[in-house]
Amino acid sequence: MFEAAKAVHYGLPPHRGLASITSNPARIMWMDNQIGSIEVGKDGDIVIWDRDPMTIGAQALKVIINGLVMEDLNPGNDPPREVTRA
């Protein structure tokens, strides 16, 4: 994410910065029918940011994985714990 934001800071159009970490890798892995963009029928893991994610220093506020809102209640190496249904 930071590298994409840095590229946008130095002139890459924001939509290309976002694609460089979402739809482009999905297409390269031949998985763009399942992941990489928000569309009906695709896996929909989503991150909610405190500002434009292509801004250097943007912080994730919430992460939604498989319809579950996740929260890191244990900063460190422990995995996030399920908190609520989205």
Side-chain angles (χ1 to χ4, degrees):
M1 192 72 187
F2 177 71
E3 296 300 328
K6 209 163 50 167
V8 168
H9 175 78
Y10 286 107
L12 185 70
H15 70 281
R16 292 195 190 265
L18 189 58
S20 75
I21 57 171
T22 56
S23 57
N24 290 349
R27 190 172 42 257
I28 289 167
M29 295 184 301
W30 294 74
M31 296 183 69
D32 54 328
N33 62 328
Q34 287 180 264
I35 61 173
S37 60
I38 301 172
E39 295 179 49
V40 174
K42 288 189 174 185
D43 294 347
D45 301 343
I46 297 175
V47 179
I48 299 173
W49 299 90
D50 65 343
R51 62 188 115 173
D52 181 350
M54 291 294 103
T55 302
I56 294 175
Q59 299 287 317
L61 298 176
K62 291 192 185 232
V63 178
I64 303 170
I65 300 173
N66 293 326
L68 301 173
V69 177
M70 308 301 279
E71 183 176 337
D72 188 358
L73 301 175
N74 256 331
N77 293 330
D78 295 335
R81 295 176 15 195
E82 174 184 328
V83 177
T84 57
R85 275 234 173 257

